[in-house]
Amino acid sequence: MIDVPLCIGRTLPSPDTLLGRRAEVVADVAGRGFIDDAHPLCGVIDLDTLDELMAALTEAYPTDMPALHTIAAKAITLRPVLARFADAGFGCEVASPGELELALAAGFPAERIVFDSPAKTTPEIARALELGMSFNIDNFEELARVDEAIAEFGEHGSNVGIRLNPQTGTGAIGAMSTATTTSKFGIGLSDDRERIIEAVASRPWITQLHVHSGSQGLSLGHAAEGVRLIADLAQEITTRVGRQQIRRIDIGGGLPVNFSSDDITPTFADQRAVLKAAVPALFDGTYTLVTEFGRALTAKTGTIVARVEYTKQTGGRPIAITHAGVQIATRTVFTPDAWPLRIEVYDPHGRRREEEPQVQDVAGPACFTGDMLAVGRDLPPIRQGDLVAIPDTGGYYFSTHFSYNALPRPAIYTIGSDPHGRRRWSLARRAQSIEQILAESGEPSLVPLPA
Ligand SMILES: *Cc1c(COP(=O)(O)O)cnc(C)c1O
């Protein structure tokens, strides 16, 4: 098969473009009154950047190669944004009943959904078979359940896969690495190689192998090595059963994102080039490739904008108290070294401040000392009423709200070009109201249960 030449980064926005879009976003957020006393914080997704990232992924792979690119739902559980992925022909990777229903509601056809939870219940397995959606079995006990479900259900349209742990070791962030010797995910390839081959060979309905070596902090080479081991296994299964049983190889997600500047690096094209060098067999048309990227498709699209409520000096350190903290930037606040975020300072009208930087702390609104977005950061002097913008927050930040202090989920807006090239605003998710917080905080009084 002839390889299509790479056009590295052809559709990707330049750092200047991203910076310019963000300047427009913050000015509009200020000008349109999205931030007020009741809503001192909001999130924005730039749909133009999103479309460009989707196109960059699609174009990184040869058009004559069968591929299903899915968006990992957990990165962006916003229904109208997921709908945009569905409209663009993407599939959706889901890992819970809620994510599954969200994917269906967003318009993904079942055959483009991949269900990956490590804790699937019996009814969830039955539902996957009923819908004909793909799913990846996590362990031998689940395999036994799937045996029973298939015996009962009979003919089905699902691509049933096995999730394998290539056991290639940890990346830079332990909590995000799933290919360690003892990771909780999948079946260990070196632990159980023979048993896996036998399990697959005796079940002709297992047609897919899955590997996802981790998220962020994992080098391209490390991830590609995991895929190589899985492709080798697929080949060995073909030899063993005397025909090609494995039809799809699902390489998961995990392309890391650069959080330190507006450079989009590594690109999907970079990732694909490393994969091609490590696993040529993946590109010869034998297999349908499935991908499950989350962060790399979304992070660069998002900006948190928050108002600075107060500033003060404590122990000689200037501190700005903002409305963006642990409720929206949970991982950054709890593990700041693993998840640092940039912070930009704008005046109340949304104009970027350019003054000489000074060392400052930027705090969130929550009642615990660790609720800091940045400590000892060089930033233009922050004043009361300013806006801080936090780039690269389109992935996970809007979908992983932490309801500490009963702080509400903020509204999420989108901006994107209409067919005439004019940038238009939309609402993707309403802010959580105080009434909703009350309603979700339990019954008005204890509900007695039968003795
Ligand atoms: C989280 C996850 C992904 C997405 O990971 P990213 O790092 O966001 O690309 C893909 N597949 C599985 C199984 C996951 O758990």
Side-chain angles (χ1 to χ4, degrees):
M1 185 177 288
I2 297 161
D3 203 7
V4 176
L6 276 184
C7 314
I8 292 180
R10 184 158 68 95
T11 57
L12 287 174
S14 70
D16 281 348
T17 301
L18 290 180
L19 189 72
R21 285 179 185 164
R22 205 161 53 246
E24 177 194 12
V25 159
V26 182
D28 280 8
V29 163
R32 288 174 167 259
F34 292 164
I35 300 271
D36 59 22
D37 287 328
H39 308 97
L41 164 74
C42 72
V44 178
I45 296 272
D46 198 308
L47 298 176
D48 291 331
T49 308
L50 188 79
D51 290 348
E52 287 155 356
L53 286 165
M54 282 195 266
L57 171 55
T58 319
E59 288 169 19
Y61 288 86
T63 47
D64 55 354
M65 176 182 175
L68 171 65
H69 297 296
T70 70
I71 170 72
K74 70 176 182 285
I76 187 148
T77 44
L78 295 167
R79 182 168 163 177
V81 180
L82 286 174
R84 198 171 182 93
F85 281 97
D87 292 345
F90 271 64
C92 193
E93 188 267 348
V94 300
S96 71
E99 285 184 359
L100 169 59
E101 294 310 319
L102 179 56
L104 291 169
F108 292 97
E111 65 272 16
R112 281 200 257 132
I113 299 178
V114 180
F115 183 34
D116 270 342
S117 156
K120 301 178 201 77
T121 61
T122 304
E124 285 167 28
I125 293 166
R127 178 131 166 88
L129 291 169
E130 231 166 67
L131 288 169
M133 83 189 168
S134 302
F135 62 98
N136 292 308
I137 295 166
D138 180 82
N139 56 67
F140 287 111
E141 291 186 1
E142 185 184 341
L143 179 63
R145 267 196 192 172
V146 173
D147 280 340
E148 285 171 25
I150 284 182
E152 195 166 315
F153 192 83
E155 200 64 23
H156 63 87
S158 297
N159 288 290
V160 183
I162 293 205
R163 177 166 187 170
L164 298 165
N165 172 1
Q167 297 179 306
T168 46
T170 185
I173 309 175
M176 306 305 289
S177 302
T178 54
T180 55
T181 313
T182 55
S183 157
K184 77 165 186 173
F185 289 109
I187 301 177
L189 192 54
S190 32
D191 295 342
D192 284 311
R193 191 183 181 89
E194 197 45 43
R195 195 174 164 203
I196 295 163
I197 294 171
E198 278 162 24
V200 175
S202 59
R203 291 172 180 80
W205 43 265
I206 297 181
T207 54
Q208 171 168 298
L209 296 181
H210 174 249
V211 58
H212 169 71
S213 290
S215 295
Q216 194 68 14
L218 199 73
S219 75
L220 298 185
H222 189 158
E225 174 61 7
V227 177
R228 188 185 68 76
L229 293 170
I230 299 317
D232 285 353
L233 183 75
Q235 182 52 49
E236 194 172 334
I237 291 167
T238 300
T239 310
R240 192 75 71 92
V241 300
R243 66 181 178 85
Q244 191 200 332
Q245 181 176 329
I246 299 301
R247 309 242 144 237
R248 310 213 304 184
I249 294 194
D250 182 340
I251 65 166
L255 182 66
V257 165
N258 167 29
F259 285 95
S260 65
S261 77
D262 284 316
D263 281 313
I264 297 181
T265 178
T267 62
F268 290 114
D270 296 335
Q271 184 261 354
R272 183 256 179 199
V274 171
L275 200 58
K276 174 94 197 279
V279 206
L282 205 57
F283 295 82
D284 68 7
T286 305
Y287 304 106
T288 295
L289 181 87
V290 181
T291 71
E292 306 172 342
F293 294 105
R295 186 172 291 104
L297 281 167
T298 52
K300 290 287 174 191
T301 70
T303 306
I304 295 169
V305 185
R307 189 170 73 186
V308 176
E309 202 62 44
Y310 298 107
T311 63
K312 61 182 175 183
Q313 293 248 359
T314 303
R317 176 74 61 82
I319 303 171
I321 298 171
T322 78
H323 286 277
V326 72
Q327 86 277 35
I328 184 145
T330 316
R331 277 184 179 149
T332 298
V333 167
F334 283 127
T335 47
D337 296 336
W339 299 102
L341 286 170
R342 291 183 285 154
I343 293 173
E344 294 175 339
V345 184
Y346 293 80
D347 74 13
H349 302 290
R351 288 175 300 230
R352 198 188 309 268
R353 291 208 183 272
E354 310 277 5
E355 294 124 291
E356 198 55 34
Q358 63 178 63
V359 176
Q360 296 165 87
D361 289 356
V362 182
C367 291
F368 84 100
T369 307
D371 188 29
M372 304 298 292
L373 282 178
V375 174
R377 187 80 64 90
D378 275 331
L379 292 168
I382 305 176
R383 299 173 179 82
Q384 185 175 36
D386 278 358
L387 298 172
V388 290
I390 310 167
D392 308 328
T393 45
Y396 295 89
Y397 287 92
F398 305 154
S399 60
T400 317
H401 186 78
F402 181 47
S403 34
Y404 190 81
N405 274 157
L407 285 161
R409 287 186 299 269
I412 309 295
Y413 300 93
T414 64
I415 183 169
S417 298
D418 71 9
H420 309 288
R422 282 183 299 249
R423 300 252 288 167
R424 301 283 189 196
W425 281 93
S426 302
L427 174 69
R429 183 183 76 193
R430 260 167 239 287
Q432 190 182 22
S433 65
I434 299 297
E435 292 72 33
Q436 280 173 301
I437 288 182
L438 276 184
E440 291 165 22
S441 298
E443 303 303 316
S445 61
L446 292 176
V447 178
L449 297 174

